[in-house]
Amino acid sequence: MSKKKIGILTGGGDCPGLNAVIRGVTKCAINEHGMEVIGFHDGFLGLIEKRFSLLSFESVSGILTQGGTILGSDNKANPFEFTVTECNEPVKVDVSEQCMELYEDLGLDALICVGGDGTMTIAGLLAEKGAKIVGLPKTIDKDIEGTDITFGFDSARAIATEALDRVHTTAQSHHRVLLVEIMGRNAGWLTLESGIAGGADVILIPEIPYDIKEITSMIRKRSHFGRRFSIIAVAEGALPAGGKQTIKRIVEDSPDPVRLGGVSHVIADQLEKETGIECRVAILGHVQRGGSPSPSDRLLGTQLAVKAMDLVATGQFNHMAALNGTQMVAVPLKDVAGRQRLVPLDSPLIRTALSVGTSFGAKLNA
Ligand code: F6P
């Protein structure tokens, strides 16, 4: 009898822990299930362009501690709306049938799709076409439905927290307001958690639109009590009440074309005018997605990889492996696709921050 064969791809923006997952899936598939593993290069682009390679124990050895993904990633290629050039014009075509043909030709028994909400949505559509899919939740944003945590988040939270720690001393020396802009798209998890861990005086997240007067009042209050500096953790998706998010760029051929960024400069200008206190901005950007994964992300990535292989082995397809409390669970892809998990306003984390006197730039009660 021929060996069973699975494929794996990493889609969307990268994050620390992807290599831990690739290693975990490959080692578990070979070691425990005697399966072959094919890695597609650059996410769904590798499936579209037929670029892949066989993964072995040797090829995944030593990658646990490495950031990024040895398979490469892509956050544009969508087999259902793939951009090609026709008569010098970009047009979107559906190449999903071609992907399904490759899936069949390779004799895949399952395809493991590692990614965020965009990847899960595409994976769900491929599942409808007959592919046997298992999803794995990755993103520094922690905004995937159906799981308490995503790998990549813990590493990014540590980086953002360290940045907040570091700006404290310089803000204090120069009696300035330091704004640290943190990624997370439309979700405030990364800013909220690193903001609390890094002792930010003000935390601005997309789920709680800010009022600039509330922020100035906090800064003035601190000055009044002799605290002549303030630290503000700003989510890239933060927005003023009644206003809009700050868009940095539009990536036309991306399934989610909006890239946020720069709101902290807008806030800094307003604060300087209102308070007369010098402000400085640090936008962390892709630093948050780089470097070696934290021990938690290595552990979570490996646990999720083994859970994904359990789902493959037991034939529980079209599900995403997820963490619910301390339990590894399987969540139907249809409950994940096209959704975003935002910070609920009754989150205990918001209450925690309010209780220690942190402002959200809005009138909220602990
Ligand atoms: O989803 C992960 C993420 O890093 C977001 O936090 C950020 O808004 C976005 O990706 C940046 O995308 P890109 O890598 O295309 O600039």
Side-chain angles (χ1 to χ4, degrees), residues 155-198:
S155 308
R157 183 177 58 186
I159 296 164
T161 303
E162 192 193 342
L164 288 163
D165 288 350
R166 284 178 181 271
V167 296
H168 260 89
T169 51
T170 176
Q172 201 159 11
S173 311
H174 290 270
H175 318 298
R176 284 172 171 161
V177 173
L178 248 298
L179 296 94
V180 177
E181 189 170 307
I182 296 164
M183 278 183 167
R185 229 181 263 268
N186 300 314
W189 296 108
L190 194 51
T191 307
L192 177 59
E193 296 192 25
S194 55
I196 296 173

Side-chain angles (χ1 to χ4, degrees), residues 173-232:
S173 311
H174 290 270
H175 318 298
R176 284 172 171 161
V177 173
L178 248 298
L179 296 94
V180 177
E181 189 170 307
I182 296 164
M183 278 183 167
R185 229 181 263 268
N186 300 314
W189 296 108
L190 194 51
T191 307
L192 177 59
E193 296 192 25
S194 55
I196 296 173
D201 306 299
V202 181
I203 296 176
L204 304 177
I205 58 174
E207 293 86 346
I208 306 175
Y210 65 82
D211 175 350
I212 201 79
K213 290 202 183 73
E214 290 292 325
I215 309 175
T216 51
S217 121
M218 178 67 171
I219 292 168
R220 287 206 180 101
K221 201 158 70 185
R222 282 177 54 79
S223 293
H224 185 72
F225 289 108
R227 310 295 281 164
R228 294 172 61 205
F229 74 97
S230 292
I231 306 295
I232 310 185

Side-chain angles (χ1 to χ4, degrees), residues 13-14 75 138-141 143 183-185 190 236 248 251 258-260 286 289:
D14 73 340
N75 57 6
K138 147 273 41 160
T139 172
I140 64 164
D141 305 340
D143 61 351
M183 278 183 167
R185 229 181 263 268
L190 194 51
E236 63 178 1
K248 186 170 64 187
V251 183
V258 174
R259 295 292 181 275
L260 299 166
H286 291 79
R289 290 206 333 225

Side-chain angles (χ1 to χ4, degrees), residues 91-149:
V91 285
K92 288 194 192 290
V93 290
D94 183 346
V95 292
S96 57
E97 206 45 53
Q98 188 178 309
C99 293
M100 288 307 298
E101 274 166 28
L102 180 63
Y103 176 95
E104 298 296 340
D105 290 350
L106 287 172
L108 293 183
D109 293 287
L111 177 63
I112 298 187
C113 297
V114 191
D117 49 348
T119 303
M120 293 309 144
T121 304
I122 295 170
L125 293 171
L126 284 175
E128 281 175 19
K129 288 188 87 81
K132 291 175 181 161
I133 303 282
V134 171
L136 279 176
K138 147 273 41 160
T139 172
I140 64 164
D141 305 340
K142 204 176 82 167
D143 61 351
I144 303 182
E145 273 295 350
T147 185
D148 290 348
I149 189 136

